[in-house]
Amino acid sequence: MKIDSNQLTEQLQNFCGTETFYSIAMLKTRFTDGIKYLAETANCFWLVTDASIMAKSLQSKSYFITIDFKRLSEDEQHLNSKEAELIYSDGNDNILFKQAYYSTDFPLDELRLFFVDDTLMLPGEY
């Protein structure tokens, strides 16, 4: 199912809490209904996996981790030779790690996720 970015953003805002937890058994992490919807609708299971792996590795630095996907402006893309990045922080603007993506078909220009208790979630599901 293909959805435009405005529709996707609107749908993601409707998730509050979760009824079911899904797991990535090899990583021993979980994700919520909203993350499952995002992964299926935007075909971005890579985002769920990448965010889970890196956030899990950063847990010793912070219990609560924010993960921000950010597509760079065209000028920044040409200057830095990358299209987007995931920025991991402790929720208080202390950056823990930045992960570069040289190319992506992710439909949104920005997105925030939370990682707490080995669980990846949308902010509305926290």
Side-chain angles (χ1 to χ4, degrees), residues 82-93:
K82 61 184 176 183
E83 186 175 342
E85 59 188 7
L86 282 180
I87 304 164
Y88 300 83
S89 70
D90 65 2
N92 292 317
D93 297 324

Side-chain angles (χ1 to χ4, degrees), residues 60-85:
S60 64
K61 295 181 179 185
S62 180
Y63 170 78
F64 180 87
I65 297 173
T66 60
I67 304 157
D68 291 296
F69 175 89
K70 180 184 176 208
R71 185 176 316 280
L72 304 178
S73 69
E74 286 189 27
D75 288 341
E76 289 175 308
Q77 288 180 30
H78 293 298
L79 183 65
N80 299 310
S81 298
K82 61 184 176 183
E83 186 175 342
E85 59 188 7

